[in-house]
Amino acid sequence: GYAGQEFGQQFFADYIYSSKMPDYKSLFESMGVELAQENSKPYLGATIEDNVITTYPTKNSPASRSGLSKGDRIVTVNGLGSEALKNTESLLDDLSPGDTLTIEIERFGRHLTKQIKVEASPDYELRLMDEPEKKQLEKRKAWLKSKS
């Protein structure tokens, strides 16, 4: 092994699998910024363009767990033709976390049927607080002015 491998393993152990990450929620709040997850937004973990999965599914995502793969062509969704389906957003438009989809795909000329349980999006959003306190605004201003 080399020094980089040990560093990498320790980094992942501390900051990816463990919780030694800074408390960003409190840090942002101290500057009048909210860090929030949109738990009602549906998530698949793969990108669809023109009825084709164009990215490798994110590890441990609904798309990954259902066995979808980059290059799969979507033929039907819940028994309906995929003519209306153009991209990820059009598929997720009428869905909520917890919904289950039956998707027929074509992979290397073979038709396969996959079940996908839609989950809540793991994404975070930053929003400015509507009425931050004076102290929060001062801290935010100082932070934005700082140069590293």
Side-chain angles (χ1 to χ4, degrees):
Y2 57 95
Q5 183 178 5
E6 185 178 326
F7 169 79
Q9 288 172 336
Q10 190 62 50
F11 177 86
F12 268 75
D14 288 348
Y15 298 107
I16 305 301
Y17 305 124
S18 184
S19 60
K20 290 188 179 177
M21 289 293 285
D23 179 3
Y24 287 113
K25 187 172 173 73
S26 296
L27 180 67
F28 281 120
E29 278 180 10
S30 73
M31 291 179 249
V33 178
E34 292 176 300
L35 175 67
Q37 277 187 295
E38 188 60 58
N39 292 330
S40 63
K41 188 175 175 185
Y43 169 75
L44 283 182
T47 302
I48 301 166
E49 293 174 17
D50 295 323
N51 300 332
V52 176
I53 297 174
T54 58
T55 59
Y56 289 103
T58 304
K59 187 176 181 179
N60 294 321
S61 69
S64 166
R65 283 193 297 279
S66 71
L68 291 175
S69 187
K70 181 178 178 182
D72 288 347
R73 187 175 68 80
I74 298 173
V75 180
T76 65
V77 177
N78 290 341
L80 302 174
S82 62
E83 298 80 30
L85 171 68
K86 291 294 174 212
N87 56 42
T88 315
E89 289 76 31
S90 65
L91 175 63
L92 296 175
D93 269 349
D94 299 321
L95 297 175
S96 299
D99 289 349
T100 300
L101 296 171
T102 300
I103 297 183
E104 182 187 346
I105 60 165
E106 183 182 329
R107 181 185 294 162
F108 304 119
R110 291 180 49 222
H111 283 244
L112 305 167
T113 302
K114 304 288 184 181
Q115 296 282 325
I116 303 174
K117 186 172 182 179
V118 179
E119 293 180 359
S121 174
D123 296 340
Y124 285 88
E125 289 184 11
L126 291 175
R127 294 186 284 260
L128 297 178
M129 291 180 176
D130 290 335
E131 297 179 25
E133 298 171 10
K134 185 177 178 186
K135 183 178 171 184
Q136 290 171 317
L137 289 172
E138 289 169 357
K139 199 167 187 178
R140 184 191 306 165
K141 188 176 178 182
W143 172 54
L144 293 173
K145 278 176 72 175
S146 70
K147 294 180 181 158
S148 39

